[in-house]
Amino acid sequence: MHQILFGVVVMVTILETFGTYLAENGMQNVIYYNLVFVYLETLLLLLFFQNVYPNKKAKKYTALSIGAFILWAIIYSVFFQSLFVFHSTSYVIGGTILICCSLYFFYGIMKEDWYHDQNLLGLPMFWIVTMIMFFYSGSLLYFASINFISSQNIELLGKFNIIIQALSVLMYWVMGLSFYIPVWIERKSKIIGK
């Protein structure tokens, strides 16, 4: 799980740096955001969920979701919309799947007692899934409505974009630091215990 999330954080950092460079030089960057942000990141996060779930049935459904999303990506990119136009429909589908995976994770915590003997605040998976749920819940509405916002509301769109960027920074920051939270909690409890 640590390697998957480290890969996501590094991949997004490279994408944002390269995408900004292309945009500042007047070059097209949408294809990279489609391939990396819309498709590859979604697939890696689904792979993360597949590793998080302790039961085989959930792992099987997550694997089916991965296969279905890959099939959708290929069909949609080849037959319906060019990769040079942002695939907001695919983003909404992927985001909805990730929100459902997050909800099932929380269901497993509450109803199936997956981590009944552990402190949830010390679990990296809890923090990561919480941030995935938080980010995709907010960004889903933004990207679902982006094609329906008129050019007169560009200023409003820019303000929402700042909020979504702040949420994404927070999510990637938590992904990067979540595996150190248990160490911090343990160290803090030792200091308090003294």
Side-chain angles (χ1 to χ4, degrees):
M1 285 185 288
H2 187 267
Q3 291 172 343
I4 292 170
L5 294 174
F6 182 73
V8 167
V9 171
V10 169
M11 179 183 67
V12 169
T13 302
I14 292 169
L15 171 69
E16 289 296 332
T17 304
F18 186 61
T20 302
Y21 169 78
L22 290 176
E24 287 175 354
N25 290 305
M27 293 182 268
Q28 182 70 265
N29 64 5
V30 176
I31 188 171
Y32 304 108
Y33 280 93
N34 278 331
L35 292 173
V36 176
F37 179 64
V38 175
Y39 294 115
L40 189 56
E41 180 178 351
T42 302
L43 291 170
L44 287 173
L45 291 177
L46 285 171
L47 188 61
F48 164 76
F49 277 109
Q50 188 178 25
N51 286 307
V52 165
Y53 295 145
N55 60 6
K56 290 180 182 179
K57 188 175 182 181
K59 288 179 184 288
K60 177 183 172 186
Y61 284 125
T62 309
L64 289 173
S65 296
I66 291 170
F69 192 69
I70 290 171
L71 185 63
W72 165 261
I74 293 168
I75 291 171
Y76 191 73
S77 299
V78 171
F79 296 110
F80 295 103
Q81 195 167 35
S82 165
L83 282 170
F84 292 98
V85 177
F86 186 72
H87 288 193
S88 57
T89 304
S90 296
Y91 183 83
V92 169
I93 291 170
T96 303
I97 294 169
L98 290 171
I99 289 171
C100 290
C101 289
S102 300
L103 289 173
Y104 184 72
F105 176 82
F106 294 124
Y107 171 82
I109 287 175
M110 290 185 282
K111 290 289 188 181
E112 298 181 11
D113 288 333
W114 286 350
Y115 303 105
H116 67 280
D117 58 341
Q118 297 178 29
N119 179 4
L120 285 180
L121 297 178
L123 282 176
M125 290 81 65
F126 175 76
W127 291 100
I128 294 164
V129 173
T130 300
M131 288 313 302
I132 289 171
M133 176 80 174
F134 191 56
F135 171 73
Y136 279 95
S137 295
S139 68
L140 199 64
L141 295 173
Y142 173 77
F143 286 110
S145 61
I146 201 166
N147 293 331
F148 303 108
I149 296 176
S150 67
S151 59
Q152 299 167 347
N153 294 327
I154 287 295
E155 189 175 314
L156 178 65
L157 190 64
K159 290 178 182 177
F160 280 131
N161 190 30
I162 291 170
I163 294 169
I164 297 304
Q165 286 177 345
L167 287 174
S168 70
V169 167
L170 184 61
M171 180 181 74
Y172 296 125
W173 183 74
V174 168
M175 281 181 182
L177 294 179
S178 63
F179 289 95
Y180 300 104
I181 292 172
V183 174
W184 180 76
I185 289 174
E186 183 180 316
R187 193 175 297 166
K188 186 177 178 182
S189 65
K190 286 179 181 178
I191 291 172
I192 292 171
K194 289 180 180 179

